[in-house]
Amino acid sequence: MLKGSCLCGAVTYTAKGKAGAPAVCHCTQCRKQSGHVWASSYVDPENLSIVGEVRWYQSSDKAQRGFCPTCGAALFWKHEDDPFICFSMGSIDGESGLKLRGHIHTQTKGDYYQIPAEEAQREG
């Protein structure tokens, strides 16, 4: 079980069951939302309980991003075609026990950093 929260503590969540191995997304939207890259894990929606108000932003035709309306912390991402919901690795309170599975959308990464060659990478 993982517990997480936003910066101000107005939104908390508990992810029960097995969380998926996290990935780092380098797409333009994730970089703009987070200020760098978005690292997230995922669970089935029925295994995620959220306390507090989450505001959802429709960031594309099929995906939404959830954030705290008080402090603006980016917390969640969900795609209408996926059976899971993603949560920010940075919002986890304490240790996660998870290991990074790799990097996605690397074709749009920023030009100011490098991804280690030994880490798994996928353009899409």
Side-chain angles (χ1 to χ4, degrees), residues 49-71:
S49 78
I50 300 170
V51 176
E53 178 189 358
V54 173
R55 186 138 327 135
W56 290 93
Y57 171 67
Q58 189 76 39
S59 56
S60 71
D61 290 344
K62 293 188 169 203
Q64 295 180 6
R65 296 169 183 272
F67 64 95
C68 172
T70 303
C71 67

Side-chain angles (χ1 to χ4, degrees), residues 5-105:
S5 61
C6 64
L7 181 62
C8 71
V11 177
T12 61
Y13 67 89
T14 302
K16 298 177 183 166
K18 184 172 171 54
V24 177
C25 184
H26 300 266
C27 80
T28 302
Q29 286 188 3
C30 283
R31 289 189 303 113
K32 285 184 178 280
Q33 178 187 15
S34 69
H36 179 48
V37 296
W38 169 263
S40 65
S41 180
Y42 57 93
V43 292
D44 292 326
E46 62 270 7
N47 290 336
L48 183 67
S49 78
I50 300 170
V51 176
E53 178 189 358
V54 173
R55 186 138 327 135
W56 290 93
Y57 171 67
Q58 189 76 39
S59 56
S60 71
D61 290 344
K62 293 188 169 203
Q64 295 180 6
R65 296 169 183 272
F67 64 95
C68 172
T70 303
C71 67
L75 298 169
F76 307 107
W77 183 87
K78 62 182 176 181
H79 192 281
E80 69 180 36
D81 293 337
D82 291 336
F84 53 81
I85 186 167
C86 296
F87 56 89
S88 164
M89 291 301 295
S91 67
I92 295 171
D93 297 328
E95 300 292 321
S96 73
L98 300 173
K99 300 290 181 205
L100 184 68
R101 67 180 157 97
H103 302 260
I104 61 174
H105 298 290

